[in-house]
Amino acid sequence: PSQYFPTGSRITLNLAPPPFRAMIPPLLLALVLPSSESRVISVFYASRHGTRAPNPIVEDICPGLKPTLDRFKDIGIAPAGVTGNGLREMYSVGVYARERYIKEAGLLSKYFDPREIKFVAAEEDRTLQSAATMGQAMYAGPRGFEGYREPIPVAVNGTAGRDDLGEVRKATCAPQLLQDTSKWDKKYGKELMEKHKDIIDDLSHMCKANLRLSLQYTDGMENMGDAIKDVTDAMMFAVRENFPLQFNKTMYADARRLALAQLYGRLYFTKEQQNYMVGLFPEVMLNELQAGVDHLEGRHLMYGYHGHRELLYALATFFQVSFEFPGLGFQKHGIPSGTTLFFELHKLNETEAIQENVQEGAGDYVRLVVFSPCANVTLTIKGNADILCKAKAYRFGFNPHSDYISFAKFRSYIEDRLNFIGSYRDLCPLGPKIASKPQHPHSRKIVKVEDVDLAGWDLVSAGVFITLGAVLAGILLCILAPWSRCCFRRLL
């Protein structure tokens, strides 16, 4: 990755005329954003949800973490639900987007317009919450009583049914992924766990349960690596929430490194996995950005998908990007909650092209800008999240000389890779694994017509009895009604 924006592209945002600058908090004045000298004409982004509570299964596989898990319950968070700090993280993402794409670049209107921007989210509570919170930060009304912002109806589109845009691992490619991960587990996964058995022992001691036996007494666990991931996730969320830690930080950092190595190995070990794990995302992104290049009427100026870290990891391997975030538990490749990848489409003139060290001259260019909320900042917020961390431009591995890559080269890379290695449609021949959603224990069962046992009655018999019943009901009504005499005269 490049430095925090090369010479000429690091700026201090001027939010107010000089006489009023003293009224603005210093942290906000120190905001670092990409330069808006070039014109941003379209944005496509992928975002990870905010910090959440641990998965419920952690209570079973790691009873020793109960004090930490109880803290999440004490603050009223549903299992795997977004925490208050998680919402602040996503709010800061929205504030960044507002400052960058509304105020600075002038790409979007000041007020929410669903014709300009489209929010899409995996159909889960934490992703829908995250998308809505980002939208409120971008467009919420002015401050009123006690600093309260008036909320607005931001439309978030949930991915109902099969989600091949961001969750192809659970949709069309689920059977293929199961085959590939099983192969990795038998050889490389086994070697990895054996090499780091001391870490597993330390985690088991903390959990007061042998994690090697977790598959024997839990449902939904594919392997011991998943158990390690869920346990270290709980530890990571506790760190993000600034809870008193009941574990050693060194052990936590080592365990996170192991969990990340296991996750990367299982999901992105082969070039084929790296290709099918991105699903439809690169194709939809190309269509949206191409519409910007062609200046099509009615196009989206911004299109965003809110999902999970697995998509962002897949995009990193697909585009040959190595993320580096400071902080405990986020060594190379790790992605903190709330991290958002903004793929910006720029229009550069000749002067800007020379300044940015691009050889193709004036034209349309793509730049990847990554924004990640800082835990230490969100924890100090009093009532709002209008304090931001720095954004950072990352260079694609196939374009290391500049933050900018021509759209033509960007498009060719995606198309060539999909054509040469294959898209998810080519690489997942087994098709989707369709499973019915479990019914809520208190929900009412809907009885369908085909479920009713007619006990041998055919349609003709049913029709005859329905007709007789209608006639008898009419006669009974005439007899009981005040106008029965009139009815009888007409019947006679």
PDB file of all heavy atoms in Angstrom, residues 115-140:
ATOM      1  N   ARG A 115     -32.426   7.788  -6.154  1.00  0.00           N
ATOM      2  CA  ARG A 115     -32.011   7.650  -7.551  1.00  0.00           C
ATOM      3  C   ARG A 115     -30.495   7.798  -7.692  1.00  0.00           C
ATOM      4  O   ARG A 115     -29.924   7.340  -8.682  1.00  0.00           O
ATOM      5  CB  ARG A 115     -32.711   8.708  -8.414  1.00  0.00           C
ATOM      6  CG  ARG A 115     -34.231   8.539  -8.483  1.00  0.00           C
ATOM      7  CD  ARG A 115     -34.884   9.752  -9.118  1.00  0.00           C
ATOM      8  NE  ARG A 115     -34.663  10.962  -8.316  1.00  0.00           N
ATOM      9  CZ  ARG A 115     -35.145  12.161  -8.627  1.00  0.00           C
ATOM     10  NH1 ARG A 115     -35.868  12.310  -9.723  1.00  0.00           N
ATOM     11  NH2 ARG A 115     -34.902  13.204  -7.850  1.00  0.00           N
ATOM     12  N   GLU A 116     -29.845   8.420  -6.710  1.00  0.00           N
ATOM     13  CA  GLU A 116     -28.409   8.640  -6.770  1.00  0.00           C
ATOM     14  C   GLU A 116     -27.609   7.540  -6.092  1.00  0.00           C
ATOM     15  O   GLU A 116     -26.527   7.176  -6.552  1.00  0.00           O
ATOM     16  CB  GLU A 116     -28.055   9.965  -6.084  1.00  0.00           C
ATOM     17  CG  GLU A 116     -28.519  11.202  -6.808  1.00  0.00           C
ATOM     18  CD  GLU A 116     -28.037  12.460  -6.100  1.00  0.00           C
ATOM     19  OE1 GLU A 116     -27.554  12.370  -4.951  1.00  0.00           O
ATOM     20  OE2 GLU A 116     -28.142  13.535  -6.714  1.00  0.00           O
ATOM     21  N   ILE A 117     -28.115   7.041  -4.982  1.00  0.00           N
ATOM     22  CA  ILE A 117     -27.350   6.103  -4.164  1.00  0.00           C
ATOM     23  C   ILE A 117     -28.194   4.884  -3.838  1.00  0.00           C
ATOM     24  O   ILE A 117     -29.398   4.989  -3.587  1.00  0.00           O
ATOM     25  CB  ILE A 117     -26.862   6.789  -2.863  1.00  0.00           C
ATOM     26  CG1 ILE A 117     -26.023   5.814  -2.028  1.00  0.00           C
ATOM     27  CG2 ILE A 117     -28.022   7.354  -2.059  1.00  0.00           C
ATOM     28  CD1 ILE A 117     -25.321   6.484  -0.860  1.00  0.00           C
ATOM     29  N   LYS A 118     -27.546   3.724  -3.862  1.00  0.00           N
ATOM     30  CA  LYS A 118     -28.247   2.481  -3.545  1.00  0.00           C
ATOM     31  C   LYS A 118     -27.495   1.748  -2.443  1.00  0.00           C
ATOM     32  O   LYS A 118     -26.314   1.419  -2.589  1.00  0.00           O
ATOM     33  CB  LYS A 118     -28.370   1.585  -4.780  1.00  0.00           C
ATOM     34  CG  LYS A 118     -29.193   0.319  -4.525  1.00  0.00           C
ATOM     35  CD  LYS A 118     -29.471  -0.439  -5.811  1.00  0.00           C
ATOM     36  CE  LYS A 118     -30.391  -1.641  -5.545  1.00  0.00           C
ATOM     37  NZ  LYS A 118     -30.710  -2.376  -6.801  1.00  0.00           N
ATOM     38  N   PHE A 119     -28.180   1.513  -1.326  1.00  0.00           N
ATOM     39  CA  PHE A 119     -27.627   0.731  -0.223  1.00  0.00           C
ATOM     40  C   PHE A 119     -28.158  -0.702  -0.336  1.00  0.00           C
ATOM     41  O   PHE A 119     -29.369  -0.923  -0.332  1.00  0.00           O
ATOM     42  CB  PHE A 119     -28.057   1.300   1.129  1.00  0.00           C
ATOM     43  CG  PHE A 119     -27.496   2.656   1.446  1.00  0.00           C
ATOM     44  CD1 PHE A 119     -28.260   3.796   1.277  1.00  0.00           C
ATOM     45  CD2 PHE A 119     -26.200   2.789   1.924  1.00  0.00           C
ATOM     46  CE1 PHE A 119     -27.755   5.046   1.577  1.00  0.00           C
ATOM     47  CE2 PHE A 119     -25.676   4.036   2.229  1.00  0.00           C
ATOM     48  CZ  PHE A 119     -26.461   5.168   2.055  1.00  0.00           C
ATOM     49  N   VAL A 120     -27.255  -1.666  -0.428  1.00  0.00           N
ATOM     50  CA  VAL A 120     -27.621  -3.085  -0.468  1.00  0.00           C
ATOM     51  C   VAL A 120     -26.952  -3.766   0.721  1.00  0.00           C
ATOM     52  O   VAL A 120     -25.811  -3.444   1.065  1.00  0.00           O
ATOM     53  CB  VAL A 120     -27.170  -3.743  -1.782  1.00  0.00           C
ATOM     54  CG1 VAL A 120     -27.560  -5.226  -1.804  1.00  0.00           C
ATOM     55  CG2 VAL A 120     -27.772  -3.025  -2.983  1.00  0.00           C
ATOM     56  N   ALA A 121     -27.659  -4.687   1.365  1.00  0.00           N
ATOM     57  CA  ALA A 121     -27.098  -5.357   2.538  1.00  0.00           C
ATOM     58  C   ALA A 121     -27.508  -6.823   2.554  1.00  0.00           C
ATOM     59  O   ALA A 121     -28.612  -7.179   2.134  1.00  0.00           O
ATOM     60  CB  ALA A 121     -27.564  -4.680   3.825  1.00  0.00           C
ATOM     61  N   ALA A 122     -26.589  -7.666   3.017  1.00  0.00           N
ATOM     62  CA  ALA A 122     -26.936  -9.062   3.267  1.00  0.00           C
ATOM     63  C   ALA A 122     -28.112  -9.073   4.242  1.00  0.00           C
ATOM     64  O   ALA A 122     -28.160  -8.273   5.179  1.00  0.00           O
ATOM     65  CB  ALA A 122     -25.747  -9.814   3.850  1.00  0.00           C
ATOM     66  N   GLU A 123     -29.045  -9.966   4.031  1.00  0.00           N
ATOM     67  CA  GLU A 123     -30.290  -9.933   4.796  1.00  0.00           C
ATOM     68  C   GLU A 123     -30.095 -10.511   6.197  1.00  0.00           C
ATOM     69  O   GLU A 123     -30.590 -11.586   6.529  1.00  0.00           O
ATOM     70  CB  GLU A 123     -31.397 -10.669   4.057  1.00  0.00           C
ATOM     71  CG  GLU A 123     -32.788 -10.203   4.465  1.00  0.00           C
ATOM     72  CD  GLU A 123     -33.857 -10.709   3.528  1.00  0.00           C
ATOM     73  OE1 GLU A 123     -33.957 -11.931   3.354  1.00  0.00           O
ATOM     74  OE2 GLU A 123     -34.587  -9.887   2.954  1.00  0.00           O
ATOM     75  N   GLU A 124     -29.346  -9.774   7.006  1.00  0.00           N
ATOM     76  CA  GLU A 124     -29.132 -10.113   8.409  1.00  0.00           C
ATOM     77  C   GLU A 124     -29.218  -8.828   9.220  1.00  0.00           C
ATOM     78  O   GLU A 124     -28.919  -7.745   8.713  1.00  0.00           O
ATOM     79  CB  GLU A 124     -27.769 -10.771   8.613  1.00  0.00           C
ATOM     80  CG  GLU A 124     -27.614 -12.096   7.873  1.00  0.00           C
ATOM     81  CD  GLU A 124     -26.234 -12.686   8.068  1.00  0.00           C
ATOM     82  OE1 GLU A 124     -25.832 -12.878   9.237  1.00  0.00           O
ATOM     83  OE2 GLU A 124     -25.552 -12.953   7.078  1.00  0.00           O
ATOM     84  N   ASP A 125     -29.596  -8.953  10.478  1.00  0.00           N
ATOM     85  CA  ASP A 125     -29.804  -7.763  11.305  1.00  0.00           C
ATOM     86  C   ASP A 125     -28.585  -6.854  11.332  1.00  0.00           C
ATOM     87  O   ASP A 125     -28.690  -5.639  11.161  1.00  0.00           O
ATOM     88  CB  ASP A 125     -30.184  -8.175  12.733  1.00  0.00           C
ATOM     89  CG  ASP A 125     -31.581  -8.769  12.815  1.00  0.00           C
ATOM     90  OD1 ASP A 125     -32.322  -8.647  11.815  1.00  0.00           O
ATOM     91  OD2 ASP A 125     -31.921  -9.353  13.851  1.00  0.00           O
ATOM     92  N   ARG A 126     -27.401  -7.438  11.568  1.00  0.00           N
ATOM     93  CA  ARG A 126     -26.225  -6.590  11.774  1.00  0.00           C
ATOM     94  C   ARG A 126     -25.785  -5.872  10.505  1.00  0.00           C
ATOM     95  O   ARG A 126     -25.245  -4.766  10.578  1.00  0.00           O
ATOM     96  CB  ARG A 126     -25.070  -7.389  12.371  1.00  0.00           C
ATOM     97  CG  ARG A 126     -24.592  -8.596  11.575  1.00  0.00           C
ATOM     98  CD  ARG A 126     -23.481  -9.281  12.375  1.00  0.00           C
ATOM     99  NE  ARG A 126     -22.929 -10.471  11.745  1.00  0.00           N
ATOM    100  CZ  ARG A 126     -23.331 -11.700  11.994  1.00  0.00           C
ATOM    101  NH1 ARG A 126     -24.320 -11.908  12.840  1.00  0.00           N
ATOM    102  NH2 ARG A 126     -22.756 -12.735  11.409  1.00  0.00           N
ATOM    103  N   THR A 127     -25.999  -6.460   9.348  1.00  0.00           N
ATOM    104  CA  THR A 127     -25.626  -5.792   8.102  1.00  0.00           C
ATOM    105  C   THR A 127     -26.660  -4.733   7.716  1.00  0.00           C
ATOM    106  O   THR A 127     -26.304  -3.657   7.234  1.00  0.00           O
ATOM    107  CB  THR A 127     -25.467  -6.816   6.972  1.00  0.00           C
ATOM    108  OG1 THR A 127     -26.606  -7.700   6.955  1.00  0.00           O
ATOM    109  CG2 THR A 127     -24.223  -7.663   7.193  1.00  0.00           C
ATOM    110  N   LEU A 128     -27.936  -5.026   7.943  1.00  0.00           N
ATOM    111  CA  LEU A 128     -28.982  -4.040   7.671  1.00  0.00           C
ATOM    112  C   LEU A 128     -28.847  -2.843   8.602  1.00  0.00           C
ATOM    113  O   LEU A 128     -28.979  -1.686   8.181  1.00  0.00           O
ATOM    114  CB  LEU A 128     -30.363  -4.683   7.824  1.00  0.00           C
ATOM    115  CG  LEU A 128     -30.729  -5.746   6.777  1.00  0.00           C
ATOM    116  CD1 LEU A 128     -31.950  -6.547   7.231  1.00  0.00           C
ATOM    117  CD2 LEU A 128     -31.000  -5.101   5.423  1.00  0.00           C
ATOM    118  N   GLN A 129     -28.565  -3.113   9.887  1.00  0.00           N
ATOM    119  CA  GLN A 129     -28.348  -2.035  10.853  1.00  0.00           C
ATOM    120  C   GLN A 129     -27.165  -1.160  10.442  1.00  0.00           C
ATOM    121  O   GLN A 129     -27.225   0.072  10.528  1.00  0.00           O
ATOM    122  CB  GLN A 129     -28.072  -2.615  12.247  1.00  0.00           C
ATOM    123  CG  GLN A 129     -29.289  -3.109  12.998  1.00  0.00           C
ATOM    124  CD  GLN A 129     -28.881  -3.686  14.347  1.00  0.00           C
ATOM    125  OE1 GLN A 129     -28.049  -4.587  14.435  1.00  0.00           O
ATOM    126  NE2 GLN A 129     -29.456  -3.157  15.409  1.00  0.00           N
ATOM    127  N   SER A 130     -26.105  -1.801  10.005  1.00  0.00           N
ATOM    128  CA  SER A 130     -24.893  -1.066   9.637  1.00  0.00           C
ATOM    129  C   SER A 130     -25.145  -0.155   8.441  1.00  0.00           C
ATOM    130  O   SER A 130     -24.700   1.002   8.423  1.00  0.00           O
ATOM    131  CB  SER A 130     -23.756  -2.044   9.333  1.00  0.00           C
ATOM    132  OG  SER A 130     -23.405  -2.790  10.486  1.00  0.00           O
ATOM    133  N   ALA A 131     -25.863  -0.669   7.442  1.00  0.00           N
ATOM    134  CA  ALA A 131     -26.155   0.143   6.258  1.00  0.00           C
ATOM    135  C   ALA A 131     -27.026   1.341   6.622  1.00  0.00           C
ATOM    136  O   ALA A 131     -26.779   2.476   6.175  1.00  0.00           O
ATOM    137  CB  ALA A 131     -26.838  -0.711   5.203  1.00  0.00           C
ATOM    138  N   ALA A 132     -28.052   1.100   7.443  1.00  0.00           N
ATOM    139  CA  ALA A 132     -28.960   2.179   7.824  1.00  0.00           C
ATOM    140  C   ALA A 132     -28.233   3.248   8.641  1.00  0.00           C
ATOM    141  O   ALA A 132     -28.467   4.444   8.472  1.00  0.00           O
ATOM    142  CB  ALA A 132     -30.140   1.618   8.619  1.00  0.00           C
ATOM    143  N   THR A 133     -27.330   2.817   9.512  1.00  0.00           N
ATOM    144  CA  THR A 133     -26.592   3.769  10.342  1.00  0.00           C
ATOM    145  C   THR A 133     -25.666   4.632   9.501  1.00  0.00           C
ATOM    146  O   THR A 133     -25.561   5.851   9.707  1.00  0.00           O
ATOM    147  CB  THR A 133     -25.775   3.022  11.416  1.00  0.00           C
ATOM    148  OG1 THR A 133     -26.661   2.208  12.190  1.00  0.00           O
ATOM    149  CG2 THR A 133     -25.066   3.989  12.336  1.00  0.00           C
ATOM    150  N   MET A 134     -24.988   4.024   8.532  1.00  0.00           N
ATOM    151  CA  MET A 134     -24.141   4.808   7.632  1.00  0.00           C
ATOM    152  C   MET A 134     -24.974   5.831   6.867  1.00  0.00           C
ATOM    153  O   MET A 134     -24.569   6.983   6.708  1.00  0.00           O
ATOM    154  CB  MET A 134     -23.423   3.874   6.656  1.00  0.00           C
ATOM    155  CG  MET A 134     -22.595   4.600   5.618  1.00  0.00           C
ATOM    156  SD  MET A 134     -21.755   3.468   4.479  1.00  0.00           S
ATOM    157  CE  MET A 134     -21.101   4.637   3.270  1.00  0.00           C
ATOM    158  N   GLY A 135     -26.156   5.412   6.409  1.00  0.00           N
ATOM    159  CA  GLY A 135     -27.033   6.322   5.679  1.00  0.00           C
ATOM    160  C   GLY A 135     -27.498   7.492   6.528  1.00  0.00           C
ATOM    161  O   GLY A 135     -27.574   8.634   6.053  1.00  0.00           O
ATOM    162  N   GLN A 136     -27.798   7.226   7.801  1.00  0.00           N
ATOM    163  CA  GLN A 136     -28.221   8.311   8.691  1.00  0.00           C
ATOM    164  C   GLN A 136     -27.096   9.333   8.875  1.00  0.00           C
ATOM    165  O   GLN A 136     -27.343  10.541   8.920  1.00  0.00           O
ATOM    166  CB  GLN A 136     -28.636   7.753  10.053  1.00  0.00           C
ATOM    167  CG  GLN A 136     -29.914   6.936  10.041  1.00  0.00           C
ATOM    168  CD  GLN A 136     -31.126   7.737   9.586  1.00  0.00           C
ATOM    169  OE1 GLN A 136     -31.273   8.904   9.931  1.00  0.00           O
ATOM    170  NE2 GLN A 136     -31.974   7.120   8.789  1.00  0.00           N
ATOM    171  N   ALA A 137     -25.865   8.845   8.971  1.00  0.00           N
ATOM    172  CA  ALA A 137     -24.742   9.769   9.134  1.00  0.00           C
ATOM    173  C   ALA A 137     -24.532  10.621   7.890  1.00  0.00           C
ATOM    174  O   ALA A 137     -24.131  11.785   7.985  1.00  0.00           O
ATOM    175  CB  ALA A 137     -23.474   8.988   9.447  1.00  0.00           C
ATOM    176  N   MET A 138     -24.826  10.058   6.731  1.00  0.00           N
ATOM    177  CA  MET A 138     -24.635  10.798   5.488  1.00  0.00           C
ATOM    178  C   MET A 138     -25.713  11.860   5.293  1.00  0.00           C
ATOM    179  O   MET A 138     -25.435  12.949   4.786  1.00  0.00           O
ATOM    180  CB  MET A 138     -24.647   9.842   4.293  1.00  0.00           C
ATOM    181  CG  MET A 138     -23.441   8.920   4.193  1.00  0.00           C
ATOM    182  SD  MET A 138     -23.539   7.791   2.779  1.00  0.00           S
ATOM    183  CE  MET A 138     -23.390   8.949   1.394  1.00  0.00           C
ATOM    184  N   TYR A 139     -26.945  11.551   5.725  1.00  0.00           N
ATOM    185  CA  TYR A 139     -28.057  12.409   5.332  1.00  0.00           C
ATOM    186  C   TYR A 139     -28.931  12.901   6.485  1.00  0.00           C
ATOM    187  O   TYR A 139     -29.899  13.619   6.240  1.00  0.00           O
ATOM    188  CB  TYR A 139     -28.955  11.660   4.350  1.00  0.00           C
ATOM    189  CG  TYR A 139     -28.285  11.351   3.039  1.00  0.00           C
ATOM    190  CD1 TYR A 139     -27.862  10.064   2.736  1.00  0.00           C
ATOM    191  CD2 TYR A 139     -28.085  12.347   2.097  1.00  0.00           C
ATOM    192  CE1 TYR A 139     -27.257   9.773   1.517  1.00  0.00           C
ATOM    193  CE2 TYR A 139     -27.480  12.070   0.878  1.00  0.00           C
ATOM    194  CZ  TYR A 139     -27.071  10.785   0.602  1.00  0.00           C
ATOM    195  OH  TYR A 139     -26.470  10.505  -0.600  1.00  0.00           O
ATOM    196  N   ALA A 140     -28.652  12.506   7.732  1.00  0.00           N
ATOM    197  CA  ALA A 140     -29.537  12.877   8.836  1.00  0.00           C
ATOM    198  C   ALA A 140     -29.705  14.388   8.913  1.00  0.00           C
ATOM    199  O   ALA A 140     -28.811  15.158   8.562  1.00  0.00           O
ATOM    200  CB  ALA A 140     -29.006  12.334  10.148  1.00  0.00           C
TER     201      ALA A 140
END
